[in-house]
Amino acid sequence: MELRHLRSFTYLAEILHFTRAAERVHVTQSTLSHQIKQLEDEVGCPLFDRCGKKVVLTEEGEFFLAYATRALREIDQGLSVLKHSGDEISGLVRIGTTHTFNLSFLPQCIGAFIADYPTVHISVIEDSANSIEAQLRSGTLDIGITYQPIDTAGLHFEALYDEQMVRRSQL
């Protein structure tokens, strides 16, 4: 059973006019008639009574219409979810950062992220490295941007960059 046959059937059942239903599904009247005949052959009974230019649903057609409509609605919803599944990420991201990182690169990163994901809300708190570590462990923060903690057990740490400390020699 083809989806286009089900769509043609539901449009024809709604409009009850072959020519107008054909226009709605962008096919010729003969193509629509052929699709309906194929569907009727597949289900094993007439779905419409045709009396000249007048078209009415049969009892079987009325019964089948409810199922066809529900099936098409489910398929359309599933397709919509698939099409939009990667498009919109939403929710709240809680970030803890030290003053140094909050001044240097975090504002640019957040700006770029929000431009790509406008439905995501971001909360940034500025705190000490020890406090950020504790909040990450307790689950009150999602991301911490700070210096590497001494104990990284249970945390995923990724270095963003390395800095070298250089001591000036005495003259």
Side-chain angles (χ1 to χ4, degrees):
M1 187 170 299
E2 296 185 38
L3 287 178
R4 64 189 171 104
H5 291 163
L6 290 177
R7 290 196 196 283
S8 295
F9 165 71
T10 59
Y11 289 139
L12 182 57
E14 177 187 328
I15 298 171
L16 295 175
H17 193 279
F18 270 94
T19 304
R20 282 188 242 140
E23 288 170 357
R24 188 165 179 188
V25 294
H26 309 290
V27 297
T28 63
Q29 180 185 343
S30 62
T31 299
L32 178 64
S33 295
H34 185 69
Q35 288 176 352
I36 297 300
K37 178 69 174 125
Q38 286 178 325
L39 183 60
E40 289 174 328
D41 290 345
E42 192 166 348
V43 298
C45 61
L47 299 172
F48 295 95
D49 278 330
R50 298 155 181 91
C51 304
K53 291 190 175 193
K54 187 177 178 186
V55 180
V56 294
L57 278 168
T58 62
E59 190 174 314
E60 294 87 354
E62 295 259 357
F63 176 79
F64 186 64
L65 178 60
Y67 288 96
T69 302
R70 195 168 36 237
L72 288 170
R73 184 174 44 249
E74 290 291 319
I75 289 168
D76 290 342
Q77 285 175 348
L79 289 172
S80 177
V81 167
L82 287 177
K83 287 179 182 177
H84 296 93
S85 66
D87 292 351
E88 288 199 27
I89 298 173
S90 62
L92 172 66
V93 178
R94 301 163 301 177
I95 302 173
T97 183
T98 57
H99 181 73
T100 306
F101 291 105
N102 200 19
L103 290 175
S104 56
F105 78 102
L106 190 59
Q108 287 179 320
C109 292
I110 290 174
F113 184 85
I114 289 174
D116 289 341
Y117 304 100
T119 57
V120 175
H121 299 283
I122 298 179
S123 169
V124 178
I125 63 154
E126 195 173 291
D127 213 335
S128 69
N130 290 339
S131 179
I132 292 169
E133 179 185 350
Q135 290 178 69
L136 284 168
R137 292 187 188 285
S138 72
T140 57
L141 286 179
D142 300 306
I143 299 171
I145 303 175
T146 184
Y147 299 101
Q148 182 174 359
I150 295 170
D151 179 17
T152 59
L155 297 175
H156 173 78
F157 177 81
E158 187 172 322
L160 299 176
Y161 57 86
D162 290 320
E163 287 184 322
Q164 289 187 2
M165 298 290 236
V166 179
R167 193 171 123 179
R168 260 174 95 183
S169 62
Q170 293 181 336
L171 295 174

